[in-house]
Amino acid sequence: MRRRTDGGTAGRQDGAADRSPGAEGEPFRPHPEPEPPVSSPSPPRPAAPPPTEPGVPGESAAPAEAQALSTLLGESAARPWFRRPLPWLALAALLLVAAGAAWWWTQRAAQAAPRYTTQPVTRGDLTLSVTANGTVQPTRSVSIGSELSGTVLRVNVDVNDRVTQGQVLVVLDTAKLRDQIQRSQAGVAAARSRVRLAAATVAEARTTLARLERVAQLSGGREPAPAELDAARATRARAEAEAASAEAGVSEALAQLSTDQINLSKASITAPTDGVVLTRSVDPGNAVAASLQAVTLFTLAESLSKLRLWVYVDEADVGVVQVGQAARFTVSAYPTRSFPARITRVGFGATITDNVVTYLTWLDVDNTDLSLRPGMTATATIVATERQGVLRVPNAALRFTPSTAAEAARKGLASGVSFGPPRTESQRKSAADGASTAGARQVWVLAAGANGQPLPGALPEAVAVTPGISDGRSTEITAGALREGMLVITAQTTGAVP
């Protein structure tokens, strides 16, 4: 129970006197009695008055009295939770955090998702060609040298001169050669004199032997002595042998004379065939020293209207190169002009240079306009096989395989996260392992829409194929489910996951 003081009682009495019924016609309203502060706990909050029907006088003042009483007691009115700011601020912060997390995961998914580069499958012509480098050479090159030693007396031709067969090119000094001929002629005369001397000796020996035999016949064998007859017979045999030797000496002297005469003729060096002088390495007054290998004075090309291209075909390409195939080549002197050629020989002997095995191949070239020159470096393209109207795919599509990271990103972000040290280069597949398309057996395609562009969210699908020939950029597809217009994947890029 609440205790009230005397002062409070007096106050109520004064108030009652001031607001007595009937004063100035106002109704009587009792004043609320103030309560002194107490140390006891606050009394329970009075229950809210029952709702009153509108239009009932005197009942609208109850909430105001209750508020005044709460203010007097120092108590704040309790508000519902939805009218408090803290829950709404917490909810707004939670929504902001959720929106930021959703944006971050969306960006992370967009960066981790693989992006593919595609090209359509086309139909057209395909040419398998082989490229090889070489030099232009004359069909027949003749090196002209000298078998004799001597001094060059005269040079009659120069580089680029056209010569005919038998034309004198160089003349050596013939003074020593003529002296040798005279010496050989004297030797022939001496040999013939020895032949005549041997013939006289033979005649004398025969005459002596015949006289002794006549004497022995007339004397009945008593004269001459047998030893004398044997000596006469031996003398005749020696004379006949000396005569034969003298005859051989004449033949020897004649042979030496012939050799000297031939050497004299070789002092004038002539062209063995018609052609053009390509090189000259001699001048008048030069000393020519003949040795086991003849000194080269000139180089002749038989004909420049017909040339030959020597190219070296790699061992990986020689299997498709055949005699009779057409080819074209270019030279640095005419970078915009392509010259036709045809294969005439594919060598069986290998040429090994720095562990690279190549095979010499000849291509005949028509050079009627003389625009090509021997020694030019050429790059030839040999047409090995031609196909028309075939299904073609880029070589990159045959080498492409979706990466593990892309597959993980395609399946989900969580599966794309890997732990542990990054893979090293030795653990990655070498680029050379996928350089060839001969062993490819499938390509990866993306579904395309009506506009020919990949459908959003389309996943790569493997299509089995059988490859044919390749020109280095595109490969023929000879069998499989691949059709013209399908989009084949040639590359992929995957964003880095933060």
Side-chain angles (χ1 to χ4, degrees):
M1 297 181 61
R2 297 182 182 178
R3 293 176 299 176
R4 293 178 175 83
T5 59
D6 295 338
T9 307
R12 286 196 301 272
Q13 293 177 356
D14 294 340
D18 293 337
R19 298 181 181 273
S20 59
E24 297 180 1
E26 293 181 0
F28 172 76
R29 295 180 179 176
H31 289 280
E33 297 179 359
E35 296 181 2
V38 293
S39 60
S40 61
S42 301
R45 183 177 300 173
T52 60
E53 296 181 2
V56 179
E59 293 184 3
S60 60
E65 293 178 358
Q67 182 177 4
L69 180 60
S70 300
T71 303
L72 182 61
L73 295 176
E75 297 178 353
S76 60
R79 288 180 296 176
W81 67 269
F82 54 83
R83 292 185 178 179
R84 299 175 185 177
L86 184 60
W88 293 106
L89 292 176
L91 180 60
L94 182 61
L95 291 177
L96 288 176
V97 171
W103 178 86
W104 182 79
W105 282 102
T106 303
Q107 294 297 321
R108 187 171 183 266
Q111 293 178 358
R115 294 181 292 274
Y116 300 101
T117 302
T118 61
Q119 291 188 22
V121 179
T122 60
R123 186 174 294 276
D125 300 339
L126 199 63
T127 301
L128 173 60
S129 58
V130 176
T131 302
N133 298 325
T135 56
V136 178
Q137 301 289 345
T139 55
R140 183 185 177 191
S141 179
V142 181
S143 298
I144 300 176
S146 175
E147 297 181 12
L148 304 177
S149 299
T151 303
V152 177
L153 184 64
R154 186 172 64 254
V155 179
N156 297 330
V157 295
D158 203 351
V159 176
N160 292 344
D161 288 350
R162 293 185 177 274
V163 297
T164 58
Q165 185 176 4
Q167 180 180 344
V168 177
L169 306 178
V170 177
V171 177
L172 301 179
D173 188 6
T174 60
K176 293 182 178 180
L177 297 177
R178 294 184 184 279
D179 292 343
Q180 290 178 358
I181 289 177
Q182 291 180 359
R183 186 182 302 112
S184 297
Q185 290 175 346
V188 170
R192 287 174 176 173
S193 298
R194 285 193 295 271
V195 169
R196 289 193 296 269
L197 179 60
T201 304
V202 169
E204 181 183 5
R206 288 176 179 175
T207 302
T208 302
L209 178 59
R211 187 177 63 251
L212 292 177
E213 289 177 346
R214 180 64 178 170
V215 171
Q217 182 181 6
L218 294 175
S219 63
R222 293 189 297 270
E223 291 293 339
E228 189 175 356
L229 286 175
D230 292 338
R233 291 189 182 98
T235 301
R236 185 190 64 179
R238 285 194 297 269
E240 290 176 349
E242 290 177 357
S245 177
E247 292 290 342
V250 171
S251 299
E252 182 181 2
L254 290 174
Q256 182 63 42
L257 176 60
S258 177
T259 300
D260 293 339
Q261 291 174 344
I262 292 174
N263 289 339
L264 179 62
S265 65
K266 289 184 178 180
S268 297
I269 302 173
T270 59
T273 183
D274 297 343
V276 179
V277 179
L278 297 180
T279 61
R280 165 188 164 182
S281 59
V282 64
D283 288 308
N286 291 153
V288 178
S291 59
L292 297 178
Q293 184 176 3
V295 179
T296 300
L297 305 179
F298 296 94
T299 301
L300 297 184
E302 185 175 20
S303 176
L304 294 182
S305 61
K306 298 289 184 180
L307 294 179
R308 179 169 291 154
L309 178 60
W310 291 11
V311 297
Y312 294 88
V313 178
D314 190 84
E315 61 177 332
D317 301 325
V318 73
V320 297
V321 176
Q322 304 294 332
V323 174
Q325 291 176 344
R328 303 193 71 87
F329 68 94
T330 59
V331 294
S332 300
Y334 307 98
T336 60
R337 181 177 175 183
S338 180
F339 297 88
R342 188 167 296 276
I343 297 178
T344 57
R345 177 186 294 181
V346 180
F348 285 100
T351 301
I352 302 177
T353 305
D354 297 334
N355 294 329
V356 177
V357 181
T358 57
Y359 294 86
L360 178 62
T361 303
W362 289 3
L363 294 86
D364 282 354
V365 181
D366 185 10
N367 191 38
T368 306
D369 59 352
L370 301 181
S371 57
L372 297 174
R373 301 168 184 262
M376 285 184 170
T377 303
T379 300
T381 302
I382 303 171
V383 179
T385 306
E386 290 182 323
R387 301 286 175 82
Q388 296 180 351
V390 298
L391 204 62
R392 304 175 303 181
V393 297
N395 286 356
L398 292 170
R399 293 191 293 264
F400 172 79
T401 301
S403 66
T404 305
E407 288 295 324
R410 182 167 62 90
K411 295 177 181 178
L413 292 174
S415 60
V417 179
S418 60
F419 300 92
R423 297 177 64 186
T424 61
E425 290 296 332
S426 60
Q427 295 172 318
R428 297 190 180 98
K429 185 177 181 180
S430 173
D433 296 340
S436 175
T437 62
R441 291 296 178 264
Q442 67 180 7
V443 295
W444 294 82
V445 300
L446 285 179
N451 58 354
Q453 298 298 323
L455 295 176
L459 300 181
E461 297 181 1
V463 177
V465 296
T466 302
I469 65 173
S470 174
D471 63 355
R473 297 181 299 273
S474 301
T475 298
E476 173 194 14
I477 301 300
T478 59
L482 201 64
R483 297 293 179 264
E484 183 179 1
M486 297 177 70
L487 297 180
V488 293
I489 303 176
T490 58
Q492 77 175 22
T493 56
T494 304
V497 179

